Amino acid sequence: MIRSFAAAAPGCLLALGALAYAGSTARAGGAPYAGSAAHSGTVVAPDPQLAKALPALESTIGKSGAEVAVAFRTLDGRSEWLRRADESFHAASTMKVAVLIELYRQARHGDLRLDEPLTVRNEFHSLVDGSPFALDPQDDDETELYRAVGETRTLAQLSELMITVSSNLATNLLMDKLGVDNIRAGVHALGADGMNVRRDLEDGKAFEQGLNNTTTASALLRLLEAIARGKAVDLESSRQMLAILERQTVNDRIPAGLPPGMRVAHNTARPFVLVVLTRGASSPEAASALIAEITRQLYHATQ
């Protein structure tokens, strides 16, 4: 799921942290994914201050025992750190960014309206054989929408739930409305081919066959940068997506690594985009603390 997600425009920061941890119950929507072989792949743009901070960052990551991918770039282009950024991780809820962008793309082109109502249902079809399956509210971060089955919600309301409280049910409803092929095409158009959106969340049959949504940190960096620079669909659409992302309520990862009192996505001294993907940590709490610490060190190294 999206664990820390702050949005940005010029003068703000845009950051995303996701985690999968060892010992968790395997779930079709959020379990760890066995990606490509580990490699460092560290790239640093000329920035002595950031280069000086890298040994401590690598030490922090090494001590955690987790696998970590980082894609970090300041919007002025002066600082960059890509660590295992082209390695595939289970996308979990990070792919919801791609869904949000596609929603606004179709709205911009007149294919749908954001105030258009959609009937809430809890029946979806497996990528494997088309058989029906339902989401378990106990595996979701948001449960009120399940009680609204048979009622309608607007596409805008569903996108709010998808991002701000990471609703899997809202996500699947939107994905089926938008079309997975269209979401994938939108990702490609933005140059984020490291993200592969294949199916609805919690598709157990697909999960058992290894048919999962995957992403790289670099792909997410491209999507978030497009929003940060006002180029995801267009400037106004990016602004509206930014407003939704800023309302993300899960703030114990990346925001926890920023100075006390700072409002994430608002008035950082030097705007940047940050993606942190983890798997293999001993607990979600450990992964959260690790993401926060990476954020803290990067912030202080580049401000």
Side-chain angles (χ1 to χ4, degrees):
M1 63 188 66
I2 295 176
R3 287 300 191 183
S4 292
F5 197 17
C12 304
L13 85 87
L14 184 68
L16 186 153
L19 61 90
Y21 59 95
S24 62
T25 301
R27 295 195 303 148
Y33 170 74
S36 59
H39 61 282
S40 178
T42 298
V43 178
V44 184
D47 184 338
Q49 191 172 346
L50 177 57
K52 185 177 180 181
L54 286 185
L57 280 158
E58 289 289 0
S59 177
T60 295
I61 292 170
K63 290 176 182 177
S64 74
E67 295 181 66
V68 178
V70 179
F72 170 84
R73 184 179 295 138
T74 55
L75 293 185
D76 60 18
R78 287 163 39 205
S79 300
E80 178 180 274
W81 184 35
L82 303 178
R83 182 186 193 277
R84 297 175 68 165
D86 292 324
E87 180 176 343
S88 287
F89 280 65
H90 194 291
S93 286
T94 62
M95 46 73 66
K96 293 172 182 176
V97 179
V99 179
L100 184 68
I101 292 173
E102 178 60 21
L103 172 65
Y104 275 82
R105 189 197 68 80
Q106 292 191 23
R108 176 67 178 82
H109 287 83
D111 299 323
L112 51 77
R113 303 187 325 273
L114 294 177
D115 63 356
E116 181 179 326
L118 187 66
T119 300
V120 177
R121 56 182 169 80
N122 187 11
E123 181 179 300
F124 304 96
H125 297 277
S126 175
L127 176 64
V128 175
D129 57 8
S131 60
F133 70 93
L135 303 188
D136 185 344
Q138 294 186 354
D139 289 335
D140 205 335
D141 285 335
E142 195 279 336
T143 59
E144 289 187 11
L145 190 59
Y146 291 85
R147 294 191 284 273
V149 169
E151 301 176 11
T152 62
R153 295 292 185 271
T154 67
L155 300 181
Q157 289 173 323
L158 292 173
S159 68
E160 183 85 12
L161 292 173
M162 175 179 69
I163 296 298
T164 63
V165 290
S166 199
S167 169
N168 288 343
L169 181 55
T171 303
N172 280 8
L173 290 168
L174 287 172
M175 289 180 71
D176 285 6
K177 172 69 175 179
L178 301 171
V180 171
D181 288 344
N182 291 329
I183 296 168
R184 189 183 299 113
V187 166
H188 174 74
L190 290 172
D193 289 328
M195 175 176 284
N196 187 8
V197 179
R198 290 178 161 185
R199 59 164 175 84
D200 286 341
L201 301 179
E202 307 296 344
D203 181 348
K205 286 186 176 180
F207 174 75
E208 289 171 0
Q209 295 191 21
L211 301 173
N212 297 312
N213 300 322
T214 61
T215 191
T216 65
S218 289
L220 284 165
L221 185 77
R222 284 186 176 273
L223 296 182
L224 296 176
E225 255 193 323
I227 296 173
R229 297 184 184 280
K231 296 180 178 180
V233 185
D234 58 16
L235 183 61
E236 178 58 22
S237 297
S238 294
R239 186 194 67 77
Q240 292 182 39
M241 286 186 275
L242 167 64
I244 297 173
L245 297 171
E246 187 179 3
R247 294 192 287 273
Q248 160 65 226
T249 60
V250 183
N251 293 316
D252 60 345
R253 273 80 182 178
I254 284 173
L258 297 171
M262 174 176 288
R263 183 182 178 191
V264 177
H266 183 70
N267 291 336
T268 60
R270 189 175 170 206
F272 61 85
V273 180
L274 171 63
V275 176
V276 183
L277 303 176
T278 75
R279 62 176 170 235
S282 59
S283 69
E285 292 77 17
S288 298
L290 175 61
I291 292 171
E293 179 59 20
I294 291 170
T295 304
R296 186 191 68 79
Q297 291 184 41
L298 283 170
Y299 174 83
H300 287 291
T302 55
Q303 297 304 309

